Structure formats: C-alpha cells, structure tokens
Amino acid sequence: MQFKSILASSVLAVAAVSAQTTTGFPANYLGSAAVINDNPVGTTYSATFEGNVTGKMTFTASTNGTGVAVKVDLLGFSGATGPFNYHVHDQPVPADGNCNGTLAHLDPYQRGQTPACDKTAPETCEVGDMSGKHNAVPNTNGSLVEFHDAYVDNFISTKSGIAAFIGNRSIVIHKAGGGRYMCVNITLDTSASNTSTPVFQNDESAASSFGVSSALALGGMLVAAVFAL
Ligand SMILES: [Cu+2]
C-alpha cells in the first residue's frame, strides 16, 4: 500500500517535470536537444569577420568528441548599439551578401524564440542560439568593443550530415532590437594555426603573440624543408 503510493507520487513527479520543460513552447517542439558525443576529433570550423567587426570564431570538437569548444575573438561594433546577440543561422550567406538570406536560427527541435532561452537549461534553447546559451557581446554605447569568450557547447556539432552540424551554415550578429548587423559563413578551417588567438592592432601583447606564431611558422617550414630532403 505504502509502496504503491510512493510509486504513484514518483510517476506524478516525473510527469510534472516533463510538463514543466515543454510549457510555453510551440506545439510542434520536439523536446530537449541531444548532446552530440561523436564530433570528429581534430576538426575545426571557423567564421572570419572582416568589416564592422573583425576577428574570428572557431569551433573545435572536444578532445573526447563530446561537445564543441567555441572561441570568440572579435573587435569592432563602433557606432552600433548592443547588446549584440549572435546565432548560427540555417543557411550560408548568399552571393549578394544579404544577411536575410541566411534564413532563421539553426533550430532542428523547432522550439522557436519564445520563451527566451534559459542559460540554465541550454538543451531547451535553439541549437543555434549561441548568445542565449552563453554570452552576448555587451553594449558599450557605440564605442569600440574587443570581445573574447570561450566555452564548450554540447549541442552544436562539427559532424557533417546531422541536423546540429554547423558547417556550411553562417553566424549572424544582431544589433539591439534584432536587426542583422553582420553575417559570415562557417567553413572548415584547414589552417595549422587555428588554435592561436587572433592579434589585434590595439593589443599590447600583439608583438609577443606575433613573435611566437612567427617562430612556430618558421619552425614548421624548417621541419617541412627537412622532410622534403
Ligand atoms: Cu540570428
């Protein structure tokens, strides 16, 4: 008798939790995003910014294949009003550069933008809602912003052929209010130095960072030369 009542209350508790996670979402919401645990180790995708914003975002599979390490190094945003949200959008940037051509956020579970993403439950956010799950670029009233961030996201993927794959899609940065500020493609990064921090002109560490990467590049060329012999 007592056992039955405990069982019944457990079932009710489970039902309450599952109802709570879907309340307020669209009727066709498919539920929490899957953690991707077979990202191809050693693969990096990147998005390079050259315009109102310069810099790079890199997306590298974690060493155990679970999750993708994201590194964000951006400089710019002068004269624009933030905070600046950014997302993985479904389509690449079209040839004419019109950011509207990237269509909507990457959202394979059809959860939509309402309710807003809850950082404490990132599995319930749109897969492509990077600033919602992590951090937006802050507003600094139109002055130059240098923004650096690094995090692991378990729901995007560098594995080609699955819905969570970010390759051959795009990153769109939005101004306050949602207008599309900049968009760039996410492509396979084959450069050997894709783990180094991009160097900005106003960065005091520029000289030493450049020195190290130059030395590494020179070392690489020497090694290549030896192998060529
Ligand atoms: Cu967006």
Side-chain angles (χ1 to χ4, degrees), residues 52-71:
N52 294 330
V53 175
T54 59
K56 195 170 182 180
M57 295 183 188
T58 58
F59 305 87
T60 306
S62 295
T63 50
N64 63 1
T66 298
V68 172
V70 181
K71 204 163 170 302

Side-chain angles (χ1 to χ4, degrees), residues 58-122:
T58 58
F59 305 87
T60 306
S62 295
T63 50
N64 63 1
T66 298
V68 172
V70 181
K71 204 163 170 302
V72 181
D73 297 286
L74 301 175
L75 176 69
F77 306 94
S78 297
T81 304
F84 303 91
N85 291 324
Y86 68 96
H87 317 113
V88 177
H89 278 234
D90 194 53
Q91 294 294 309
V93 180
D96 66 5
N98 187 337
C99 293
N100 291 332
T102 64
L103 304 184
H105 302 167
L106 177 60
D107 184 20
Y109 296 88
Q110 305 175 67
R111 63 89 75 198
Q113 294 181 56
T114 306
C117 166
D118 176 359
K119 277 184 174 49
T120 66

Side-chain angles (χ1 to χ4, degrees), residues 36-44 59-70 151-154 158 195:
I36 309 299
N37 54 24
D38 58 350
N39 294 299
V41 175
T43 301
T44 293
F59 305 87
T60 306
S62 295
T63 50
N64 63 1
T66 298
V68 172
V70 181
Y151 52 83
V152 172
D153 189 295
N154 286 326
T158 53
T195 54

Side-chain angles (χ1 to χ4, degrees), residues 93-169:
V93 180
D96 66 5
N98 187 337
C99 293
N100 291 332
T102 64
L103 304 184
H105 302 167
L106 177 60
D107 184 20
Y109 296 88
Q110 305 175 67
R111 63 89 75 198
Q113 294 181 56
T114 306
C117 166
D118 176 359
K119 277 184 174 49
T120 66
E123 70 280 4
T124 66
C125 297
E126 291 173 301
V127 170
D129 189 357
M130 307 310 289
S131 54
K133 289 185 283 182
H134 306 285
N135 300 297
V137 180
N139 183 30
T140 57
N141 300 313
S143 60
L144 187 73
V145 181
E146 185 171 332
F147 178 74
H148 301 281
D149 204 0
Y151 52 83
V152 172
D153 189 295
N154 286 326
F155 310 103
I156 60 171
S157 179
T158 53
K159 183 185 178 187
S160 172
I162 65 172
F165 180 52
I166 59 165
N168 310 322
R169 302 191 195 274

